[in-house]
């Protein structure tokens, strides 16, 4: 147990950590323990039965959560000409090309959460691979952020589209909303994300796919969720 604050210890003592709970009960427990003075983020952590070291067992994709994430999303679109104007009309926060590359490189500017690019701009965006990649911001066709349909991409990002991908421990970590959403909306976001992860199951994956699934608030302990049959 890495966190030893009084509030955390009190929350940790509220339930049986050896037990796996049905989603509704698990969500209620997590919300009961989300007692910080700010609106805590609720996260899903899913350990998968795959090996991320193998290219044919990667799990990555995106999904628009029914109720969004509760966060204001700032979008940067790399486009030129008509597509640049289309991005601006769709509500993109920043639109540009080489000028944005220079701003990021020279000013270490990262005042955005989602990067979208038209296919013809990927040669330009590729110069930023070393800085965007580690931050999980590099546009990717699989996540719908490399596209000529910039209007849909911007609208999806603003509506609560999230990306999910494996880490080196074969775990996916994603936000599913804020504690203030309430249990029902958070459960619907949970189901949407988990179903998307299941649809992304690699053909090379063998055995049980969802090894374990945990939900937790920003400051609270994790509660294991039953995923039998998934």
């Amino acid at each position: 147990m890495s966190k030893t604050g009084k509030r955390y210890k009190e929350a940790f003592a509220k339930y049986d950590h050896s037990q796996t709970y049905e989603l509704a009960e698990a969500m209620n427990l997590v919300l009961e323990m989300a007692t910080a003075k700010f609106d805590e983020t609720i996260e899903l952590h899913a350990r998968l039965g795959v090996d991320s070291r193998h290219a044919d067992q990667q799990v990555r994709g995106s999904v628009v959560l029914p109720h969004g994430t509760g966060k204001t999303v700032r979008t940067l679109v790399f486009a030129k000409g008509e597509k640049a104007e289309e991005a601006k009309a769709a509500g993109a926060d920043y639109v540009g090309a080489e000028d944005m590359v220079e701003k990021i490189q020279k000013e270490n500017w990262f005042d955005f959460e989602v990067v979208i690019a038209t296919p013809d701009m990927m040669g330009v965006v590729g110069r930023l691979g070393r800085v965007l990649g580690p931050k999980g911001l590099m546009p990717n066709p699989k996540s719908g952020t490399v596209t000529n349909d910039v209007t849909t991409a911007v609208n999806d990002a603003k509506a609560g589209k999230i990306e999910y991908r494996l880490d080196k421990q074969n775990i996916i970590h994603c936000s599913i909303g804020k504690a203030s959403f309430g249990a029902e909306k958070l459960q619907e976001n949970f189901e949407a994300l988990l179903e998307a992860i299941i649809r992304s199951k690699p053909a090379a994956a063998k055995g049980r796919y969802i090894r374990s699934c945990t939900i937790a608030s920003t400051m609270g302990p994790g509660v294991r969720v039953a995923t039998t049959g998934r």
Side-chain angles (χ1 to χ4, degrees):
M1 189 165 59
S2 60
K3 301 177 184 178
T4 56
K6 181 180 178 181
R7 181 185 292 116
Y8 186 90
K9 287 181 178 179
E10 290 175 350
F12 197 81
K14 285 181 179 290
Y15 65 102
D16 182 354
H17 301 271
S18 66
Q19 185 175 339
T20 299
Y21 295 84
E22 293 300 322
L23 176 58
E25 187 175 3
M27 192 65 73
N28 285 331
L29 276 170
V30 167
L31 293 179
E32 182 183 343
M33 296 184 289
T35 58
K37 293 181 180 179
F38 62 93
D39 193 5
E40 295 187 51
T41 296
I42 309 301
E43 300 174 344
L44 176 152
H45 307 276
R47 182 182 297 276
L48 305 185
V50 296
D51 189 340
S52 61
R53 294 174 297 178
H54 300 291
D56 63 350
Q57 294 189 45
Q58 292 296 319
V59 178
R60 179 176 184 176
S62 61
V63 61
V64 178
L65 298 180
H67 304 288
T69 62
K71 297 178 181 179
T72 299
V73 178
R74 293 164 297 185
T75 54
L76 166 60
V77 178
F78 285 93
K80 289 183 176 180
E82 291 183 2
K83 290 300 176 182
E85 294 306 312
E86 183 181 330
K88 292 176 184 177
D93 298 275
Y94 310 102
V95 182
E98 287 84 354
D99 56 327
M100 290 297 177
V101 173
E102 185 174 349
K103 185 174 178 68
I104 291 170
Q105 291 177 329
K106 292 186 176 181
E107 301 177 22
N108 196 34
W109 174 72
F110 290 98
D111 192 26
F112 48 85
E113 289 78 36
V114 176
V115 181
I116 298 163
T118 54
D120 61 303
M121 291 301 298
M122 285 307 293
V124 173
V125 180
R127 303 175 201 168
L128 298 171
R130 290 185 178 181
V131 292
L132 293 182
K135 294 179 179 293
L137 292 171
M138 194 68 182
N140 186 291
K142 290 184 178 180
S143 63
T145 50
V146 177
T147 176
N148 277 315
D149 189 359
V150 293
T151 296
T152 296
V154 171
N155 288 340
D156 283 350
K158 295 287 188 181
K161 183 177 184 178
I162 61 169
E163 293 187 42
Y164 56 86
R165 62 186 301 177
L166 287 176
D167 67 9
K168 292 181 180 179
Q169 285 72 47
N170 305 315
I171 302 173
I172 287 175
H173 309 272
C174 279
S175 163
I176 57 171
K178 296 288 187 177
S180 60
F181 283 18
E184 185 176 346
K185 289 182 178 179
L186 287 167
Q187 287 175 52
E188 290 176 3
N189 278 358
F190 173 99
E191 293 285 6
L193 174 56
L194 193 63
E195 288 304 318
I197 293 171
I198 291 171
R199 288 195 299 271
S200 298
K201 180 180 180 180
K206 304 298 181 184
R208 186 177 177 185
Y209 181 51
I210 306 292
R211 294 289 175 86
S212 67
C213 188
T214 301
I215 53 175
S217 65
T218 306
M219 304 298 289
V223 179
R224 292 196 299 168
V225 180
T227 57
T228 305
R230 304 192 200 230

